[in-house]
Amino acid sequence: MIKQALFIICTLYCISVIHAQSDPWADSVISFQPGTMTTFGQDSAYYPMNILGAPDTNAAWTTPCSDPAEVLSLGLGGEIILHFADNTIYNGPGQDFTIFENAFQIQFGPRAGEIFAEPAVVSVSQEGINFYEFPWDSISLAGCAGITPTNGAADPLNPDESGGDSFDLAALGLDSVSYIKLTDVSAIIRSDTSHPFFDFTANGFDLDAVAGLYANPVTSVKPVEGRGRKSAEHITISPNPVNRSSSGIIKVNWVTETPSNNNILVYNILGEQVAEINLPSLVAGPQKVSLPVTNFSSGIYIAVISWENNRKSAKFSVVR
């Protein structure tokens, strides 16, 4: 399928684009809460690969993407969080990332020439805990994603030609982000007959792709000579999800020896700290510590370890 092929190609090779980078696309889905009215593109045969690559090349101003292998409907009130793991989107000149939906220009009937839109509110985060929402207007839909058709024949990293809705981190005063959250708000145009974009057939934001226009590669941490300099390659949780009746295991892989103590902070999805787990003095290599969750509510959590000016985190779920 077109999107899967483009995704593989972009992953294997550097592409020549306006802002040269090897992988401008979202890498994974952190969470997806489908809304109502539709399940289009949500089948495991398509999702999540249908949103982890370039936009549909067949999409045009008057021809919306209609292939479940290329687009995922969030449904009315649906919400999704995407993670850019290989490249961090940073604040460059002008727009910093583009969101592609299957909006299109209506050709016939009383709304001919107008845009069929299914809007979503856009929020971003640096660490996946605290999200900052772009300002938006419920009437004009300015500031929303899902209101500008995609030009699939154009360079998706050139917002002047690609279509889609682009966003500038400077509007929020942020230097960089790794997480993008989309929350469907199509209900505001579906139920209000006086709304300029009113359409009773709107059934939820349809995500095609997200492209980082400015992105810095996230590189592996290199070993540092000398004691006392510490860096962690990764932090993982197992099993994931963790059953509330048992304990999980946090695994931290240190590249170099560190004589100082380190704390792992655990946050819930609202960004509230719910636990602090102390790590003993660590030597280089993989280390493990127990993750007690018997007092946790069912839901999504994130474990964060910080050192010097660096941070690593891992998402996990707690179930009954």
Side-chain angles (χ1 to χ4, degrees):
M1 297 179 181
I2 294 174
K3 179 168 288 186
Q4 283 84 340
L6 285 173
F7 179 71
I8 294 171
I9 291 171
C10 290
T11 302
L12 295 177
Y13 300 98
C14 288
I15 56 177
S16 297
V17 295
I18 266 184
H19 315 300
Q21 54 202 42
S22 59
D23 179 13
W25 319 114
D27 298 296
S28 63
V29 177
I30 297 300
S31 66
F32 175 38
Q33 300 174 347
T36 60
M37 296 298 295
T38 181
T39 59
F40 189 79
Q42 297 177 13
D43 189 279
S44 59
Y46 310 115
Y47 167 79
M49 286 301 295
N50 53 0
I51 56 175
L52 299 181
D56 184 7
T57 56
N58 293 316
W61 197 264
T62 59
T63 308
C65 174
S66 58
D67 184 351
E70 299 286 342
V71 69
L72 168 74
S73 180
L74 303 190
L76 289 179
E79 183 174 277
I80 193 167
I81 299 177
L82 300 172
H83 184 204
F84 283 75
D86 295 336
N87 288 278
T88 298
I89 299 173
Y90 68 91
N91 182 27
Q95 306 302 308
D96 301 313
F97 64 92
T98 302
I99 298 172
F100 297 94
E101 205 255 0
N102 65 350
F104 63 95
Q105 186 180 59
I106 300 170
Q107 295 298 292
F108 307 102
R111 290 191 60 200
E114 298 180 11
I115 297 297
F116 176 85
E118 291 173 317
V121 173
V122 181
S123 306
V124 293
S125 173
Q126 295 169 314
E127 77 297 312
I129 302 172
N130 300 300
F131 280 85
Y132 302 91
E133 184 178 291
F134 281 91
W136 61 287
D137 185 82
S138 62
I139 303 300
S140 67
L141 301 185
C144 290
I147 60 175
T148 305
T150 299
N151 180 8
D155 178 359
L157 301 185
N158 184 347
D160 292 331
E161 300 178 358
S162 67
D165 299 293
S166 298
F167 297 82
D168 186 353
L169 295 179
L172 298 176
L174 297 176
D175 294 326
S176 64
V177 298
S178 294
Y179 300 84
I180 295 178
K181 177 167 66 175
L182 301 171
T183 306
D184 173 75
V185 290
S186 296
I188 64 176
I189 65 173
R190 178 185 171 89
S191 57
D192 182 2
T193 57
S194 65
H195 197 283
F197 288 85
F198 169 73
D199 197 308
F200 70 90
T201 66
N203 60 7
F205 182 90
D206 297 316
L207 177 60
D208 188 348
V210 180
L213 305 179
Y214 291 95
N216 281 329
V218 178
T219 57
S220 299
V221 179
K222 303 297 183 182
V224 181
E225 295 182 0
R227 295 172 60 90
R229 295 293 302 278
K230 52 186 181 293
S231 53
E233 281 187 325
H234 59 257
I235 174 174
T236 58
I237 312 292
S238 64
N240 192 359
V242 185
N243 194 295
R244 233 171 75 185
S245 62
S246 60
S247 293
I249 297 294
I250 301 177
K251 300 177 182 178
V252 180
N253 189 46
W254 291 97
V255 177
T256 55
E257 185 175 295
T258 169
S260 59
N261 291 342
N262 300 272
N263 293 330
I264 294 177
L265 303 181
V266 181
Y267 299 88
N268 61 22
I269 198 64
L270 300 177
E272 301 168 332
Q273 182 181 325
V274 295
E276 181 174 355
I277 301 171
N278 181 259
L279 290 174
S281 297
L282 300 178
V283 296
Q287 307 294 323
K288 300 179 181 179
V289 65
S290 177
L291 171 63
V293 296
T294 53
N295 294 326
F296 285 23
S297 300
S298 298
I300 299 173
Y301 295 84
I302 184 169
V304 179
I305 185 169
S306 302
W307 72 100
E308 296 177 349
N309 294 320
N310 303 293
R311 172 182 291 190
K312 291 288 183 179
S313 61
K315 288 259 187 178
F316 67 96
S317 300
V318 174
V319 295
R320 292 183 180 276

